[in-house]
Amino acid sequence: MTTRRQLPEAMLFDLDGTLFQTETLLLPAYHATFDELRAQGIYEGETPPEERILGALGMLLEQIWMIVMPESPVAVHQEANKLLIKYQVEGLQKGRGILYEGVAETLQTLHAKGVRLFVASNGLEVYVKRVIAEMGLAHLFEGLFSAGEYQTRSKVDLVKILLEKHSIQSAWMVGDRSSDVEAGLRNNLAVVACDYAGFREAGELEGAHIRIGRFAELLDYIF
């Protein structure tokens, strides 16, 4: 039986693996990045397995590169950052990248009900803002918060800044990784765990108040 909750003042959404099917944009850019790193002569060998970067989604970028190519120096990680965002932006301009089923319609319904909508992502500022804009969602969100813009070391801190900046008293945190669950719980929010992206590891979503297998199920839990 679905336990319904009172409509919150606001909902905070992770981006990758929650709203956006990241791999549809990320993987072509990932391979292009390593092709360029090899062309520059600062990386040798095969492109690391896709599973490494997909499994690290939701982390800060510096943490992601430590997992993807731990043997490479920080300077190579920094160049990879620049190249990856460049190729992702180019991909968006070419029409790559899609939302999960039901995202646009569900967000529109929540917006129409008066729920204040925000993004809270560990990604770079330009990436987060370009994805939301290119997917046609910008008019629905009151704010787009990213670790890249606010220079936060954890999503806990990013969400705390968001709540304080917009004087939010009640909110849900909606995301697909342990960082989202932690950010919600430590900021005393209701947590909705999205269990459809497939990036997570076992046990990551423990502690969430609600777990959904499709984004549109979010509407089943409000009255």
Short mmCIF file of all heavy atoms in Angstrom, two decimals, residues 20 22 24-30 32 83-98 127 130-131 134-135:
data_model
loop_
_atom_site.label_atom_id
_atom_site.label_comp_id
_atom_site.label_asym_id
_atom_site.label_seq_id
_atom_site.Cartn_x
_atom_site.Cartn_y
_atom_site.Cartn_z
N PHE A 20 17.81 12.89 -15.80
CA PHE A 20 18.47 12.80 -17.09
C PHE A 20 19.17 11.46 -17.28
O PHE A 20 19.89 11.01 -16.40
CB PHE A 20 19.50 13.94 -17.19
CG PHE A 20 20.17 14.10 -18.52
CD1 PHE A 20 19.43 14.33 -19.67
CD2 PHE A 20 21.56 14.03 -18.61
CE1 PHE A 20 20.07 14.48 -20.89
CE2 PHE A 20 22.20 14.20 -19.83
CZ PHE A 20 21.45 14.42 -20.98
N THR A 22 21.88 10.06 -18.24
CA THR A 22 23.23 10.59 -18.42
C THR A 22 24.05 9.87 -19.48
O THR A 22 24.77 10.49 -20.26
CB THR A 22 23.99 10.50 -17.08
OG1 THR A 22 23.12 10.96 -16.04
CG2 THR A 22 25.25 11.32 -17.12
N THR A 24 23.33 8.62 -22.20
CA THR A 24 23.02 8.94 -23.60
C THR A 24 23.83 10.12 -24.10
O THR A 24 24.01 10.29 -25.31
CB THR A 24 21.52 9.23 -23.77
OG1 THR A 24 21.15 10.37 -22.94
CG2 THR A 24 20.67 8.04 -23.37
N LEU A 25 24.32 10.95 -23.20
CA LEU A 25 25.19 12.07 -23.54
C LEU A 25 26.63 11.81 -23.14
O LEU A 25 27.57 12.15 -23.85
CB LEU A 25 24.69 13.34 -22.84
CG LEU A 25 25.53 14.61 -23.02
CD1 LEU A 25 25.47 15.09 -24.47
CD2 LEU A 25 25.05 15.71 -22.08
N LEU A 26 26.80 11.18 -21.98
CA LEU A 26 28.12 11.02 -21.38
C LEU A 26 29.03 10.09 -22.16
O LEU A 26 30.21 10.41 -22.38
CB LEU A 26 27.96 10.50 -19.95
CG LEU A 26 29.24 10.10 -19.22
CD1 LEU A 26 30.13 11.31 -19.00
CD2 LEU A 26 28.90 9.42 -17.90
N LEU A 27 28.54 8.94 -22.56
CA LEU A 27 29.44 7.92 -23.11
C LEU A 27 30.11 8.33 -24.42
O LEU A 27 31.32 8.12 -24.58
CB LEU A 27 28.71 6.58 -23.24
CG LEU A 27 28.32 5.96 -21.89
CD1 LEU A 27 27.63 4.63 -22.08
CD2 LEU A 27 29.53 5.81 -20.97
N PRO A 28 29.40 8.95 -25.37
CA PRO A 28 30.12 9.44 -26.56
C PRO A 28 31.18 10.48 -26.20
O PRO A 28 32.28 10.48 -26.76
CB PRO A 28 29.01 10.05 -27.42
CG PRO A 28 27.76 9.36 -27.00
CD PRO A 28 27.93 9.13 -25.53
N ALA A 29 30.86 11.36 -25.23
CA ALA A 29 31.83 12.38 -24.80
C ALA A 29 33.00 11.75 -24.06
O ALA A 29 34.15 12.21 -24.18
CB ALA A 29 31.13 13.39 -23.89
N TYR A 30 32.74 10.72 -23.32
CA TYR A 30 33.78 9.99 -22.57
C TYR A 30 34.81 9.40 -23.52
O TYR A 30 36.02 9.57 -23.33
CB TYR A 30 33.09 8.90 -21.75
CG TYR A 30 33.99 8.01 -20.93
CD1 TYR A 30 34.64 8.49 -19.80
CD2 TYR A 30 34.14 6.66 -21.25
CE1 TYR A 30 35.43 7.66 -19.02
CE2 TYR A 30 34.92 5.82 -20.48
CZ TYR A 30 35.57 6.33 -19.37
OH TYR A 30 36.35 5.50 -18.60
N ALA A 32 35.35 10.29 -26.66
CA ALA A 32 36.03 11.39 -27.37
C ALA A 32 37.10 12.03 -26.49
O ALA A 32 38.17 12.43 -26.98
CB ALA A 32 35.00 12.44 -27.80
N LEU A 83 37.80 18.60 -21.30
CA LEU A 83 37.40 17.93 -22.54
C LEU A 83 36.02 17.30 -22.42
O LEU A 83 35.20 17.38 -23.34
CB LEU A 83 38.43 16.86 -22.90
CG LEU A 83 39.80 17.38 -23.33
CD1 LEU A 83 40.80 16.22 -23.43
CD2 LEU A 83 39.71 18.12 -24.66
N LEU A 84 35.74 16.67 -21.27
CA LEU A 84 34.46 16.00 -21.12
C LEU A 84 33.31 16.99 -21.20
O LEU A 84 32.32 16.73 -21.90
CB LEU A 84 34.41 15.25 -19.78
CG LEU A 84 33.18 14.36 -19.57
CD1 LEU A 84 33.17 13.21 -20.56
CD2 LEU A 84 33.13 13.83 -18.14
N ILE A 85 33.43 18.12 -20.51
CA ILE A 85 32.35 19.10 -20.57
C ILE A 85 32.23 19.69 -21.97
O ILE A 85 31.13 19.93 -22.47
CB ILE A 85 32.52 20.21 -19.50
CG1 ILE A 85 31.26 21.06 -19.42
CG2 ILE A 85 33.72 21.07 -19.77
CD1 ILE A 85 30.03 20.33 -18.99
N LYS A 86 33.36 19.90 -22.64
CA LYS A 86 33.34 20.41 -24.02
C LYS A 86 32.55 19.47 -24.93
O LYS A 86 31.66 19.90 -25.68
CB LYS A 86 34.77 20.55 -24.54
CG LYS A 86 34.87 20.83 -26.03
CD LYS A 86 36.30 20.68 -26.54
CE LYS A 86 36.35 20.72 -28.05
NZ LYS A 86 37.70 20.46 -28.59
N TYR A 87 32.86 18.18 -24.87
CA TYR A 87 32.18 17.22 -25.74
C TYR A 87 30.72 17.00 -25.34
O TYR A 87 29.87 16.71 -26.19
CB TYR A 87 32.95 15.90 -25.77
CG TYR A 87 34.28 15.99 -26.49
CD1 TYR A 87 35.47 15.61 -25.87
CD2 TYR A 87 34.35 16.47 -27.79
CE1 TYR A 87 36.68 15.70 -26.52
CE2 TYR A 87 35.57 16.57 -28.46
CZ TYR A 87 36.73 16.19 -27.82
OH TYR A 87 37.94 16.28 -28.48
N GLN A 88 30.43 17.14 -24.06
CA GLN A 88 29.03 17.01 -23.64
C GLN A 88 28.20 18.20 -24.14
O GLN A 88 27.08 18.01 -24.61
CB GLN A 88 28.95 16.90 -22.11
CG GLN A 88 29.37 15.55 -21.59
CD GLN A 88 29.26 15.45 -20.09
OE1 GLN A 88 29.76 16.29 -19.36
NE2 GLN A 88 28.62 14.41 -19.62
N VAL A 89 28.75 19.40 -24.05
CA VAL A 89 28.05 20.58 -24.56
C VAL A 89 27.84 20.44 -26.06
O VAL A 89 26.74 20.73 -26.58
CB VAL A 89 28.82 21.87 -24.22
CG1 VAL A 89 28.23 23.05 -24.99
CG2 VAL A 89 28.76 22.14 -22.72
N GLU A 90 28.85 19.98 -26.77
CA GLU A 90 28.71 19.77 -28.21
C GLU A 90 27.63 18.73 -28.50
O GLU A 90 26.85 18.87 -29.44
CB GLU A 90 30.05 19.33 -28.81
CG GLU A 90 31.09 20.43 -28.86
CD GLU A 90 32.42 19.96 -29.43
OE1 GLU A 90 32.52 18.76 -29.81
OE2 GLU A 90 33.35 20.79 -29.52
N GLY A 91 27.59 17.69 -27.67
CA GLY A 91 26.58 16.65 -27.83
C GLY A 91 25.17 17.19 -27.64
O GLY A 91 24.25 16.86 -28.39
N LEU A 92 24.99 18.04 -26.63
CA LEU A 92 23.69 18.67 -26.38
C LEU A 92 23.27 19.52 -27.58
O LEU A 92 22.11 19.50 -28.00
CB LEU A 92 23.74 19.53 -25.12
CG LEU A 92 23.75 18.80 -23.79
CD1 LEU A 92 24.09 19.76 -22.66
CD2 LEU A 92 22.41 18.12 -23.52
N GLN A 93 24.23 20.23 -28.15
CA GLN A 93 23.93 21.07 -29.32
C GLN A 93 23.53 20.24 -30.52
O GLN A 93 22.80 20.71 -31.39
CB GLN A 93 25.16 21.94 -29.64
CG GLN A 93 25.46 22.99 -28.59
CD GLN A 93 26.79 23.68 -28.80
OE1 GLN A 93 27.68 23.16 -29.46
NE2 GLN A 93 26.93 24.87 -28.23
N LYS A 94 24.00 18.99 -30.57
CA LYS A 94 23.66 18.08 -31.66
C LYS A 94 22.38 17.29 -31.37
O LYS A 94 21.99 16.44 -32.16
CB LYS A 94 24.82 17.12 -31.92
CG LYS A 94 26.08 17.80 -32.44
CD LYS A 94 27.22 16.81 -32.55
CE LYS A 94 28.49 17.50 -33.03
NZ LYS A 94 29.65 16.56 -33.07
N GLY A 95 21.76 17.55 -30.22
CA GLY A 95 20.51 16.88 -29.89
C GLY A 95 20.65 15.58 -29.13
O GLY A 95 19.68 14.84 -28.98
N ARG A 96 21.85 15.30 -28.61
CA ARG A 96 22.03 14.08 -27.83
C ARG A 96 21.50 14.27 -26.42
O ARG A 96 21.42 15.38 -25.92
CB ARG A 96 23.51 13.71 -27.75
CG ARG A 96 24.11 13.22 -29.05
CD ARG A 96 25.54 12.77 -28.85
NE ARG A 96 26.15 12.42 -30.12
CZ ARG A 96 27.40 12.67 -30.45
NH1 ARG A 96 28.19 13.31 -29.58
NH2 ARG A 96 27.88 12.32 -31.62
N GLY A 97 21.18 13.15 -25.78
CA GLY A 97 20.72 13.18 -24.39
C GLY A 97 19.22 13.20 -24.27
O GLY A 97 18.55 13.94 -24.99
N ILE A 98 18.68 12.35 -23.40
CA ILE A 98 17.24 12.29 -23.19
C ILE A 98 16.91 12.21 -21.70
O ILE A 98 17.72 11.77 -20.89
CB ILE A 98 16.59 11.09 -23.93
CG1 ILE A 98 17.20 9.77 -23.46
CG2 ILE A 98 16.71 11.25 -25.43
CD1 ILE A 98 16.54 8.54 -24.06
N TYR A 127 27.46 22.40 -17.10
CA TYR A 127 26.79 21.15 -17.47
C TYR A 127 25.35 21.12 -16.98
O TYR A 127 24.41 20.85 -17.74
CB TYR A 127 27.57 19.97 -16.91
CG TYR A 127 26.86 18.64 -17.05
CD1 TYR A 127 26.82 17.97 -18.27
CD2 TYR A 127 26.21 18.05 -15.96
CE1 TYR A 127 26.16 16.76 -18.40
CE2 TYR A 127 25.55 16.85 -16.08
CZ TYR A 127 25.53 16.20 -17.31
OH TYR A 127 24.86 15.00 -17.42
N ARG A 130 23.17 23.75 -18.80
CA ARG A 130 22.95 23.45 -20.21
C ARG A 130 22.00 22.27 -20.40
O ARG A 130 21.15 22.29 -21.29
CB ARG A 130 24.29 23.17 -20.91
CG ARG A 130 25.15 24.39 -21.14
CD ARG A 130 24.46 25.43 -22.03
NE ARG A 130 24.30 25.02 -23.39
CZ ARG A 130 25.14 25.31 -24.39
NH1 ARG A 130 26.23 26.02 -24.14
NH2 ARG A 130 24.89 24.92 -25.61
N VAL A 131 22.14 21.24 -19.59
CA VAL A 131 21.24 20.09 -19.70
C VAL A 131 19.80 20.52 -19.44
O VAL A 131 18.89 20.20 -20.22
CB VAL A 131 21.65 18.95 -18.73
CG1 VAL A 131 20.54 17.90 -18.65
CG2 VAL A 131 22.95 18.31 -19.19
N GLU A 134 18.62 22.72 -22.41
CA GLU A 134 18.45 21.99 -23.66
C GLU A 134 17.29 20.99 -23.60
O GLU A 134 16.68 20.67 -24.62
CB GLU A 134 19.74 21.26 -24.04
CG GLU A 134 20.91 22.17 -24.36
CD GLU A 134 20.72 22.95 -25.66
OE1 GLU A 134 19.90 22.53 -26.50
OE2 GLU A 134 21.39 23.98 -25.83
N MET A 135 16.99 20.50 -22.40
CA MET A 135 15.88 19.57 -22.24
C MET A 135 14.53 20.30 -22.11
O MET A 135 13.48 19.67 -21.95
CB MET A 135 16.09 18.67 -21.02
CG MET A 135 17.27 17.72 -21.12
SD MET A 135 17.16 16.51 -22.46
CE MET A 135 18.35 17.18 -23.64
#
